[in-house]
Amino acid sequence: MSAQSPLSPTEARALVKSALAAASFEDVSLRVTARRTAYLRFAAGAPTTSGEAARFEVSVTAAKDGRVATVSGTGRDAASLQALVREAEALAKLAPKDPEHEPPLGPQQYAKVAARDAKTAEVGPEGRTEVVARVLKVAREAKLVASGIVEHEDGVTVLANRTGLFALHAATEASLTTTMRTPDGKGSGWAGGASHRLAELDAQALARRAADKATMSSQGADALAPGAYTVVLEAQAVADLLGFLVSALQARAADEGRSFFSRPGGNAIGEALFDPRVTLRSDPADPRWPSIPFAGDGLPLPATTWIERGTLKALAYSRFWAHKQSKPPLPGPRSIFLAPADPAEGKDLLELVRGVERGVLVTRFFYNRMLDPRQILATGLTRDGTFLIEQGKIARPVKNMRYNESPAALLKNLVAIGKPERTAGDGMVAVVPPLVAKDFHFASVSDAV
Amino acid sequence: MGIIAPMSSSRRSFLALTGLCGAEALLHGPRAASAGQQPSRIPAPKSAPASADAGMALLAASRLLADESLLRTALAAATKAGASYADARLVLMRRERVGVRDDHVSGIGRSEDYGVGLRVIADGGWGFAATAERSAKAVEGIARAAVAMARQSALLMPQPVTLAPAPVLQGGWVSPFQVDPFSIAPAEKAELLLAAARAALAVPGVAHVDASVACVREEKLVMTSEGSRVHQIFFRVIPGLTTTAIDRRRGRFAGRDHEVAPMLAGWEHVTAADLVGSAPKIAEEALQKLHAAPAVPGKKHAILAPSNLWLTIHESIGHSTELDRALGYEANYAGTSFLGPDKAGKVKIGSEIVNLAADRTQPGGLATTAWDDEAVASQRWDLVKKGTFVGWQTTRDLAAAAGEPASRGCSYADSYASVPFQRMPNVSLQPGTEGYTTEDLIAATDDGVLITGRGSWSIDQQRYNFQFSGQFFWEIKHGRLTRPLRDVAYQANTVESGARVTCSEGQTRTASAAA
């Protein structure tokens, strides 16, 4: 993998110009993504698959008189690009009217975001092998079986249209996750991290965290009776649940009566719904954890406070819904920062554990699914490190359990809040703290390790 | 099975696995290919349905043929760089989706994703590289990259990858279809969906309708360094219709999905689903759900329709019989399995009447194919025989790792940029021999719930503890369907529930699941 960008700003502008030259509609917009991805997967203590892919995709949306169509392809030459524009226009002519289509945006101002790390873009097979070798060494020394993946990406996203919009975001992203298991399969531990800088991921420290959990659970686990428990959720477990709440921050679903945030005749903006220590923000220009500064339709993503000291302050409005409701449009978040309103409040994980008389420590959740959007009620299971806390100490491993619980209830039933950290996950930058909450509902026991 | 309501003392313990709409889901059986046009095939234990009538013409007109030399270039470059084995594939995915909401089109889109992927073994390690750029220079680049990765990986591997032997073969196949779904204009598709939405909205109390149809054409040319070459085209269609009823006064809503299944088929499957004709019933059932009595938690008997059961089978038995999971390859991601790698033939996971087959030859199945991504012929085999787990899903390297003589043909790459690995075949529960009908099952149930359609689901990483919901729920009392219920979910354990299956429907209907 070379450090050369998969699509430089000059190349992007030339490509956009060439494609739009074929446009006859006023309203034609492009979305271009060029990504180099690479990974090394390992399992049973050795590499299993190793891959690199250079992907390229152009998506063209053409609209006229409310008739809209989108087509996408992988050809990068002028002829392919122009054929795509012509196909989008031809398809749009056939389309019935979409009354929710918004007119094209003009030029926009975006936050300056430095999200591409040249060193991460340069990493090749040797660099990935080094990371994995460090993890495998920890596993060998602890007599555990390691599996996991190190992956990184160098990607460029471009939006452009005929009315002067041009947005370009270049970003690297790297992550390492590992699961360590005892050879007899009785114990399992997980740890993971993500950053736009691969160098920021401490492979040895993550591996040790996973190994410690596997070893701590190696003597086999007892089953706890299902019921309501005080829980200490590690940051990853918080992120796993919180995603459901973040995707519910939509004004339309609320106004249409389909959401947790629905209220008779409107939505819950302004209501104190959560513990006053909770503040949830998004900020693409965060210096340590940068993320894309524009939404899919080209609108800038402003730094936004969604929940401030427990009160719902904002919901996302699409351009259509904003017009309809006479509100300013606000895109949904692409990064989330959950933090104590007072940063001094944030405690270390073990400090949190020390404050719990009896409870369950959860490493992460798995197979999480929404059950009821009106309550944001979700189900899923604990995985790879679940322990009973007694008198402020991690007493013993317990069997994994299924939960039926809402992240809204979690933020309401808060007992204590930890220091935020970046979690590993799909797509969104999530920087969240470990939390202690009471009355967390476990519905049944699982034999899975 | 933990559902709803107190323990009943019904006459028979009944977890029934029944067939309500499976037969309709298999409308088009194998049809003979035109004389002289039968693609060459290595005989498989049971073979895929005959190639579509139009198949040879489609294959001959394929855009992939113009790029075939890239595969030869990639294989030669990989061999030159030191690969002991390589497979290269051109994959062209075309997708089209038309969606409507209420009275308007919510989206018309087409996409095309085309590129070349190359997988190699060098020094006993795997390497994979892919590019969307279709040039000799680009594929020579990925060949060098893949071999470099394989060599790096090999440094950390205690033993080299080996492949179970596979016959060298050449062939072409097109999945059976009657009407090319891409030949229907998007406007016509939108009109059909809007007509269905109008029919649903005509039912008083229905607030919203979402309807869509997605069509996929997957075209794939695979060549191996051993000399195999297979060229295939697959058509899949995915219709959907959801009606939502809202009770604003009580702040409640209920959604009802049409239970039509996605299929390896042409547009005829959408026509047969009769979205317009069935929309009023789906709309009325959303209202019934909205006003249905809540289920009372407890133990009850469940009768699961194929439209519900397929997903439960897919998640509980389908994934647990994947050998890569049992070997720990998925420990960090999808998870492992409650079945250890040495358990074939040794573990009882269901009652005597439970027989589950894996099958990549079944007409209409989403995983049906003539050859897999390693050019291994598709086949049908037993996963569970009379309640005992007997067979794994494998690829060539997994078969070798397990000491099996040959791959089961489960290798699949879902795009040019994805490495092929073991993916699930169609998995079906076999019908019982007694010939019970759904009505028999209901009549024999004292206190239970009939569950149809797919709802929310979740299962642990070793596939023990599962919780599934459904689309529609009927209370059963004293052998009769009494009233609709809402908020039903069932929670159970794969092994315990399999052991308690006491009766399944006869006839030719089966529930099936695919990757």
Side-chain angles (χ1 to χ4, degrees):
Chain A
M1 189 173 279
S2 77
Q4 195 194 337
S5 169
L7 187 67
S8 72
T10 315
E11 287 172 315
R13 286 194 184 271
L15 192 152
V16 164
K17 194 175 166 198
S18 159
L20 292 180
S24 67
F25 293 5
E26 275 302 296
D27 185 356
V28 175
S29 59
L30 298 182
R31 177 187 178 84
V32 185
T33 54
R35 297 193 293 146
R36 278 200 291 262
T37 56
Y39 63 88
L40 176 53
R41 261 191 121 186
F42 54 103
T48 49
T49 51
S50 179
E52 288 179 7
R55 296 168 216 245
F56 179 82
E57 189 183 64
V58 184
S59 167
V60 180
T61 300
K64 193 176 189 177
D65 306 328
R67 301 175 191 276
V68 194
T70 300
V71 301
S72 71
T74 44
R76 194 164 168 165
D77 57 289
S80 304
L81 293 168
Q82 299 189 350
L84 215 54
V85 169
R86 282 190 287 268
E87 189 188 352
E89 292 188 348
L91 201 55
K93 283 178 194 159
L94 299 175
K97 289 199 177 190
D98 174 2
E100 299 194 2
H101 181 71
E102 290 291 308
L105 284 173
Q108 305 285 314
Q109 289 291 321
Y110 302 112
K112 291 250 178 299
V113 169
R116 183 174 189 266
D117 176 51
K119 289 213 168 101
T120 300
E122 271 170 23
V123 173
E126 296 82 2
R128 296 191 289 276
T129 308
E130 251 171 56
V131 171
V132 170
R134 263 179 260 152
V135 176
L136 294 181
K137 184 163 181 280
V138 171
R140 252 194 327 273
E141 287 167 3
K143 299 195 165 49
L144 296 168
V145 183
S147 61
I149 184 168
V150 57
E151 53 191 325
H152 53 100
E153 168 175 330
D154 182 15
V156 175
T157 303
V158 176
L159 302 181
N161 67 19
R162 288 196 83 190
T163 41
L165 179 89
F166 185 86
L168 184 148
H169 178 64
T172 49
E173 172 74 359
S175 70
L176 169 66
T177 59
T178 180
T179 303
M180 304 254 184
R181 294 172 67 81
T182 56
D184 64 4
K186 284 186 180 166
S188 182
W190 179 93
S195 170
H196 70 295
R197 298 175 58 232
L198 182 64
E200 190 139 342
L201 302 177
D202 185 340
Q204 195 177 39
L206 287 173
R208 285 199 173 132
R209 210 161 135 183
D212 287 349
K213 287 191 178 170
T215 306
M216 279 160 67
S217 56
S218 62
Q219 77 267 36
D222 297 332
L224 282 185
Y229 285 84
T230 293
V231 286
V232 179
L233 303 184
E234 288 207 32
Q236 187 65 47
V238 172
D240 293 340
L241 261 186
L242 199 64
F244 291 110
L245 187 140
V246 171
S247 38
L249 292 167
Q250 297 291 333
R252 184 175 189 169
D255 296 345
E256 288 183 342
R258 295 180 277 130
S259 142
F260 173 74
F261 299 112
S262 295
R263 292 295 179 271
N267 60 52
I269 291 177
E271 287 184 27
L273 298 172
F274 309 108
D275 185 282
R277 286 167 290 178
V278 170
T279 292
L280 180 73
R281 298 177 317 111
S282 59
D283 182 6
D286 185 90
R288 182 145 187 228
W289 310 115
S291 57
I292 192 163
F294 49 85
D297 61 1
L299 277 177
L301 287 168
T304 305
T305 300
W306 302 91
I307 299 168
E308 186 170 33
R309 294 181 186 269
T311 297
L312 180 69
K313 300 299 274 189
L315 291 173
Y317 282 82
S318 67
R319 294 176 66 212
F320 169 77
W321 199 245
H323 276 157
K324 187 151 172 149
Q325 305 289 90
S326 304
K327 304 272 187 196
L330 176 65
R334 293 292 299 267
S335 62
I336 51 164
F337 297 84
L338 180 72
D342 172 9
E345 176 103 22
K347 296 187 177 75
D348 288 333
L349 180 70
L350 289 179
E351 272 182 84
L352 294 178
V353 169
R354 274 200 290 278
V356 173
E357 184 57 29
R358 188 165 193 271
V360 179
L361 172 63
V362 177
T363 297
R364 64 162 173 157
F365 292 119
F366 177 67
Y367 229 116
N368 307 298
R369 289 289 184 274
M370 177 72 88
L371 295 175
D372 176 10
R374 285 301 307 269
Q375 309 169 60
I376 326 185
L377 181 66
T379 190
L381 296 113
T382 64
R383 179 171 168 184
D384 304 322
T386 310
F387 302 94
L388 180 69
I389 300 168
E390 280 177 333
Q391 293 167 346
K393 291 203 174 84
I394 298 172
R396 57 191 155 91
V398 293
K399 281 194 174 182
N400 286 309
M401 284 183 283
R402 172 175 298 288
Y403 71 86
N404 283 322
E405 191 51 272
S406 163
L410 179 75
L411 297 185
K412 202 172 170 187
N413 297 335
L414 202 66
V415 173
I417 192 162
K419 282 197 177 71
E421 58 186 88
R422 169 88 200 259
T423 56
D426 305 324
M428 189 178 285
V429 169
V431 183
V432 305
L435 297 177
V436 184
K438 60 181 191 237
D439 290 335
F440 191 90
H441 288 87
F442 289 113
S444 58
V445 174
S446 165
D447 291 321
V449 177
Chain B
M1 211 171 250
I3 307 194
I4 2 277
M7 191 71 185
S8 76
S9 54
S10 61
R11 291 159 296 188
R12 301 164 69 176
S13 176
F14 238 146
L15 164 60
L17 309 166
T18 75
L20 292 186
C21 64
E24 288 73 27
L26 301 173
L27 278 175
H28 50 93
R31 281 170 294 120
S34 317
Q37 292 188 334
Q38 181 79 18
S40 63
R41 289 184 48 90
I42 298 291
K46 179 178 184 294
S47 53
S51 193
D53 292 344
M56 287 304 105
L58 284 180
L59 289 171
S62 168
R63 279 165 56 192
L64 273 52
L65 298 178
D67 291 324
E68 185 169 353
S69 66
L70 294 177
L71 297 184
R72 279 191 270 274
T73 303
L75 293 175
T79 308
K80 193 176 160 213
S84 57
Y85 168 84
D87 50 42
R89 54 188 59 68
L90 286 162
V91 184
L92 170 58
M93 301 291 292
R94 280 182 67 195
R95 297 183 172 88
E96 184 186 89
R97 185 182 180 280
V98 178
V100 307
R101 179 170 169 84
D102 301 341
D103 59 348
H104 64 272
V105 172
S106 55
I108 289 191
R110 270 189 201 155
S111 72
E112 191 176 289
D113 190 35
Y114 184 25
V116 55
L118 172 73
R119 187 176 64 149
V120 306
I121 298 175
D123 295 353
W126 278 123
F128 173 79
T131 179
E133 189 184 331
R134 300 188 309 279
S135 71
K137 188 167 163 265
V139 299
E140 283 164 359
I142 63 169
R144 285 191 299 272
V147 170
M149 279 183 271
R151 291 200 150 132
Q152 277 292 318
S153 290
L155 297 175
L156 298 176
M157 293 173 61
Q159 56 215 12
V161 172
T162 52
L163 300 180
V168 171
L169 51 81
Q170 287 86 36
W173 185 78
V174 177
S175 66
F177 70 96
Q178 287 162 25
V179 181
D180 178 349
F182 289 83
S183 72
I184 307 293
E188 191 179 323
K189 289 169 176 155
E191 287 308 333
L192 172 77
L193 297 173
L194 288 167
R198 276 194 300 275
L201 286 169
V203 175
V206 169
H208 294 294
V209 181
D210 289 284
S212 65
V213 61
C215 308
V216 181
R217 176 187 158 123
E218 175 183 11
E219 189 162 346
K220 190 175 267 182
L221 179 58
V222 178
M223 292 177 76
T224 72
S225 58
E226 294 170 349
S228 287
R229 177 196 181 278
V230 294
H231 185 190
Q232 300 183 90
I233 299 174
F234 307 84
F235 289 100
R236 298 185 179 91
V237 290
I238 305 129
L241 175 75
T242 299
T243 61
T244 306
I246 299 182
D247 180 345
R248 290 194 181 275
R249 199 168 49 80
R250 283 188 289 179
R252 277 219 315 256
F253 70 97
R256 168 68 162 129
D257 294 348
H258 197 297
E259 291 176 10
V260 60
M263 289 268 286
L264 185 79
W267 188 253
E268 67 280 0
H269 177 54
V270 179
T271 308
D274 188 17
L275 294 177
V276 179
S278 53
K281 183 164 181 282
I282 300 296
E284 278 155 19
E285 289 175 352
L287 284 164
Q288 285 181 6
K289 272 176 93 168
L290 183 65
H291 299 297
V296 183
K299 289 208 175 188
K300 278 205 177 203
H301 298 143
I303 300 181
L304 306 180
S307 58
N308 179 266
L309 178 63
W310 72 267
L311 184 63
T312 306
I313 289 176
H314 170 103
E315 298 294 348
S316 62
I317 300 295
H319 282 306
S320 62
T321 54
E322 293 173 319
L323 184 55
D324 60 346
R325 294 181 68 120
L327 290 170
Y329 290 5
E330 290 288 333
N332 184 56
Y333 186 64
T336 56
S337 172
F338 69 86
L339 295 163
D342 58 345
K343 296 298 183 200
K346 299 179 191 162
V347 182
K348 193 90 175 159
I349 62 169
S351 77
E352 283 285 318
I353 63 163
V354 174
N355 293 289
L356 288 141
D359 189 354
R360 297 200 71 183
T361 69
Q362 189 175 344
L366 291 179
T368 294
T369 187
W371 306 277
D372 77 348
D373 256 274
E374 294 181 310
V376 171
S378 61
Q379 54 185 289
R380 175 193 167 94
W381 70 103
D382 292 323
L383 297 177
V384 175
K385 190 101 187 140
K386 293 189 171 175
T388 299
F389 162 65
V390 293
W392 293 108
Q393 306 163 40
T394 61
T395 56
R396 290 183 67 186
D397 59 343
L398 293 173
E404 295 189 2
S407 165
R408 291 297 191 180
C410 293
S411 178
Y412 180 67
D414 62 4
S415 101
Y416 73 91
S418 301
V419 69
F421 67 105
Q422 193 255 293
R423 302 297 293 269
M424 199 188 297
N426 307 305
V427 176
S428 304
L429 178 72
Q430 303 306 297
T433 51
E434 296 92 339
Y436 292 128
T437 64
T438 304
E439 291 70 26
D440 293 336
L441 301 182
I442 293 167
T445 300
D446 199 43
D447 180 18
V449 183
L450 169 67
I451 302 176
T452 72
R454 183 178 85 171
S456 179
W457 72 98
S458 172
I459 186 165
D460 69 49
Q461 75 273 18
Q462 287 186 316
R463 308 281 143 171
Y464 286 108
N465 175 305
F466 60 74
Q467 177 170 308
F468 284 71
S469 186
Q471 272 303 312
F472 207 81
F473 318 99
W474 278 101
E475 180 185 66
I476 303 170
K477 290 280 183 200
H478 311 300
R480 286 176 197 280
L481 299 180
T482 43
R483 56 179 182 161
L485 296 174
R486 66 178 162 92
D487 303 336
V488 176
Y490 55 101
Q491 202 174 84
N493 179 298
T494 301
V495 180
E496 287 171 11
S497 66
R500 281 163 44 215
V501 173
T502 54
C503 175
S504 67
E505 185 175 270
Q507 307 168 343
T508 57
R509 299 169 179 185
T510 60
S512 82

